[in-house]
């Protein structure tokens, strides 16, 4: 990654610090919640819920690493009782942890959605491979642009990464519409639809945050907007999305259990 720009105000540094801290708290608490809920869903949906917890666990680890790296890159002190002064220590800020995280978690996010929808096995395997590989390719193509200061190079890699991005978003928004309508209850169909569209909405924030440094913003303000924007998008795409996956698994488990208890 390129060196951090100098001249951060305390407000800019603090906003990023708190955004990363929020990411740790949200992802960590979500992991505990998902795994505690495993006994409350039927066996059919435990794999999906386990993967949901793995996603937020991986994110928690990487947010801790990003948070520590951010803290080590600065010294913050009050001089003579005045305002806090923020200075670079010279230590690198490794934002590459985000891309390692996304490379692992983004395919898993899509797989957990497909698993909880309980599609036919052949369709489940096919979609898992297609969406998993497309999403991994999207992340891999985005990284070379992220570490560039040259705007033309950033736009080039942004355009390349948008190709698999559009395929995945189209599949979520349109390709899974029929499978959503075949869920066992209106509530389950509504939750599956909400999970799909939350994914589409949260994912659409990433390209815009990526472009922050390509539309005239630079320096500390651009870095702050980028870090806070990615943190909020991650919480939506992983922790909040995981809650919908849990709710869908719980709803379908209740339907299946009530069906078993009904007299024949």
């Amino acid at each position: 990654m390129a060196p951090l720009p100098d001249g951060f105000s305390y407000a800019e540094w603090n906003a990023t610090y708190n955004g990363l801290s929020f990411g740790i708290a949200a992802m960590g608490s979500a992991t505990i919640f998902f795994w505690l809920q495993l006994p409350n869903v039927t066996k059919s949906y435990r794999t999906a819920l386990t993967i949901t917890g793995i996603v937020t666990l991986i994110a928690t680890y990487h947010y801790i690493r990003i948070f520590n790296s951010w803290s080590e890159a600065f010294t913050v002190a009050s001089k003579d009782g005045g305002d806090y002064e923020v200075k670079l220590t010279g230590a690198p800020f490794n934002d590459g942890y985000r891309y390692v995280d996304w490379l692992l978690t983004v395919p898993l996010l899509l797989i957990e959605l497909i698993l909880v929808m309980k599609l036919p096995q052949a369709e489940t395997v096919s979609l898992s491979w297609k969406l998993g590989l497309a999403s991994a390719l999207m992340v891999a193509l985005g990284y070379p642009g992220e570490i560039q200061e040259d705007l033309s190079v950033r736009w080039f890699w942004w355009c390349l990464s948008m190709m698999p991005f559009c395929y995945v978003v189209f599949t979520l928004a349109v390709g899974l519409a029929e499978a959503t309508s075949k869920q066992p209850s209106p509530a389950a169909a509504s939750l599956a639809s909400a999970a799909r569209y939350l994914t589409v909405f949260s994912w659409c924030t990433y390209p815009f945050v990526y472009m922050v440094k390509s539309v005239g913003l630079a320096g500390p303000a651009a870095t702050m907007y980028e870090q806070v924007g990615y943190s909020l998008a991650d919480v939506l795409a992983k922790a909040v999305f995981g809650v919908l996956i849990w709710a869908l698994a719980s709803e379908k488990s209740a339907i299946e259990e009530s069906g078993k208890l009904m007299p024949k």
Side-chain angles (χ1 to χ4, degrees), residues 4-264:
L4 285 168
D6 203 356
F8 276 86
S9 68
Y10 177 67
E12 291 167 334
W13 175 86
N14 198 41
T16 304
Y17 183 95
N18 289 328
L20 296 172
S21 179
F22 173 70
I24 295 170
M27 301 298 186
S29 57
T31 301
I32 295 170
F33 173 77
F34 297 144
W35 286 349
L36 286 176
Q37 290 299 314
L38 280 172
N40 297 328
V41 300
T42 60
K43 188 176 180 180
S44 302
Y45 304 106
R46 287 176 188 167
T47 299
L49 201 56
T50 299
I51 292 174
T52 306
I54 291 173
V55 165
T56 50
L57 177 65
I58 293 171
T60 302
Y61 167 76
H62 284 109
Y63 265 87
I64 291 171
R65 296 301 299 269
I66 296 170
F67 178 86
N68 289 341
S69 184
W70 180 261
S71 298
E72 291 165 2
F74 297 90
T75 57
V76 182
S78 175
K79 187 176 181 180
D80 300 326
D83 291 339
Y84 287 103
E85 188 176 16
V86 180
K87 292 184 177 180
L88 295 173
T89 63
F93 172 56
N94 187 358
D95 193 30
Y97 288 123
R98 285 198 185 276
Y99 278 81
V100 177
D101 176 84
W102 292 338
L103 194 61
L104 295 169
T105 59
V106 170
L108 290 175
L109 283 169
L110 298 172
I111 291 170
E112 71 189 59
L113 175 61
I114 294 166
L115 288 175
V116 82
M117 292 183 74
K118 208 174 181 181
L119 303 172
Q121 184 177 2
E123 189 176 358
T124 296
V125 172
S126 175
L127 276 173
S128 295
W129 275 107
K130 289 178 182 177
L131 294 181
L133 290 174
S135 60
L137 180 62
M138 173 191 71
V139 173
L141 289 173
Y143 182 68
E146 187 71 69
I147 60 176
Q148 294 292 328
E149 294 297 318
D150 187 322
L151 296 186
S152 62
V153 177
R154 286 180 67 87
W155 278 111
F156 172 77
W157 288 105
W158 182 88
C159 291
L160 285 183
S161 67
M162 287 299 291
M163 294 178 187
F165 172 88
C166 290
Y167 167 73
V168 174
V169 168
F170 177 81
T171 302
L172 289 172
V174 179
L176 290 177
E178 183 179 354
T180 300
S181 66
K182 293 179 180 179
Q183 295 300 301
S185 73
S190 177
L191 287 166
S193 182
R196 286 166 48 228
Y197 287 114
L198 175 64
T199 304
V200 171
F201 171 77
S202 62
W203 276 34
C204 285
T205 62
Y206 289 98
F208 289 103
V209 176
Y210 186 98
M211 290 189 295
V212 161
K213 294 180 179 177
S214 304
V215 292
L217 281 175
T223 301
M224 177 196 69
Y225 286 125
E226 184 179 62
Q227 294 302 317
V228 173
Y230 279 148
S231 298
L232 293 175
D234 275 349
V235 170
L236 279 177
K238 295 170 186 175
V240 178
F241 174 77
V243 171
L244 290 176
I245 294 296
W246 160 76
L248 179 56
S250 297
E251 169 69 15
K252 295 177 74 171
S253 295
I255 293 170
E256 292 177 9
E257 288 295 324
S258 64
K260 291 178 183 178
L261 294 174
M262 288 178 63
K264 295 182 180 179

